[in-house]
Amino acid sequence: MEVLKMETRIEADVIEMMKSQMAVLKHKLESQSILNERLIRRVMHARMQWVRKVVAVNVCMCVLVIAFVYVMMARYGWSSAFFWVTVALFVAVAAASIWVNVYGHVDLLEGNLVEAGRALVRMKRLRTQGRLVKLPLGLAWVCWYAIEAMDFAEAVGLERGRMLLIICLAGAVGLVIGLVVFNKLQRANDDIIAQIDELTGSKDRP
């Protein structure tokens, strides 16, 4: 009987020890998860700050283009229709950039990580859709710009061929820069999404 009581006591002590160890392990895992979440939010904040800087540069470029076309219209007779189309197009581009990358996701850093991951995926999708719209519109705008610039070149005695070459080179450089920035923006989202998925186990994305 004494042996049975001793074995029962030992089993109870072992169970209590296992419970205590499990509690310690659970606490460590929770602490690690909290630390990882804080690190992810810090990285997310840094990446989104960089995205906002890119958006600010984009908006400034849109303003400069509009100002340049206005000067060319006022001083050199470029068509007012081209100016107003430029205003409408570049204001729309700036507004879309701000909405997609900033104000459309103002709560991105405050919500839970699963929702933040979904918001980042939506941001990527909206950027891709926007590029599909902006590329043909941008090409049409460049063609119209080339027409206006060629007329300007002829009026001031510049070679039309040289002006066309400059426009083509500038357009190609602008396209390359735009694609590089686009890919970096998407990669920034991908990095954060991967870290969120690793922490939360959310592998299924829309």
Side-chain angles (χ1 to χ4, degrees), residues 23-185:
V24 172
L25 179 60
K26 182 179 179 181
H27 177 71
K28 287 183 177 179
L29 290 174
E30 289 177 350
S31 299
Q32 186 65 36
S33 296
I34 292 172
L35 178 60
N36 289 340
E37 181 174 345
R38 287 176 180 172
L39 290 174
I40 289 175
R41 290 190 184 279
R42 189 176 301 172
V43 172
M44 193 187 310
H45 178 75
R47 294 295 178 91
M48 295 312 298
Q49 286 293 104
W50 178 77
V51 169
R52 288 185 174 94
K53 290 179 181 178
V54 172
V55 171
V57 172
N58 187 26
V59 171
C60 289
M61 292 300 297
C62 290
V63 172
L64 288 175
V65 170
I66 291 172
F68 172 77
V69 174
Y70 174 79
V71 170
M72 298 303 289
M73 177 189 69
R75 295 191 60 180
Y76 300 104
W78 285 23
S79 68
S80 58
F82 177 65
F83 169 72
W84 289 113
V85 167
T86 300
V87 171
L89 178 61
F90 282 85
V91 166
V93 168
S97 181
I98 294 171
W99 172 254
V100 170
N101 296 290
V102 182
Y103 289 111
H105 307 280
V106 289
D107 59 344
L108 183 63
L109 302 177
E110 302 300 330
N112 66 70
L113 289 179
V114 174
E115 289 300 321
R118 291 174 181 168
L120 289 167
V121 171
R122 286 196 300 271
M123 187 187 295
K124 282 187 60 182
R125 185 168 61 246
L126 288 172
R127 284 194 198 122
T128 301
Q129 293 171 350
R131 183 178 65 169
L132 295 176
V133 174
K134 287 188 288 187
L135 281 177
L137 290 177
L139 180 61
W141 181 86
V142 169
C143 290
W144 195 349
Y145 177 90
I147 294 173
E148 297 287 340
M150 297 291 281
D151 291 341
F152 165 76
E154 186 175 3
V156 297
L158 297 177
E159 295 183 12
R160 295 171 65 93
R162 181 173 297 179
M163 177 63 75
L164 182 60
L165 178 61
I166 293 172
I167 293 171
C168 291
L169 289 175
V173 170
L175 178 61
V176 170
I177 293 175
L179 291 176
V180 169
V181 172
F182 174 83
N183 289 332
K184 285 188 175 182
L185 289 171

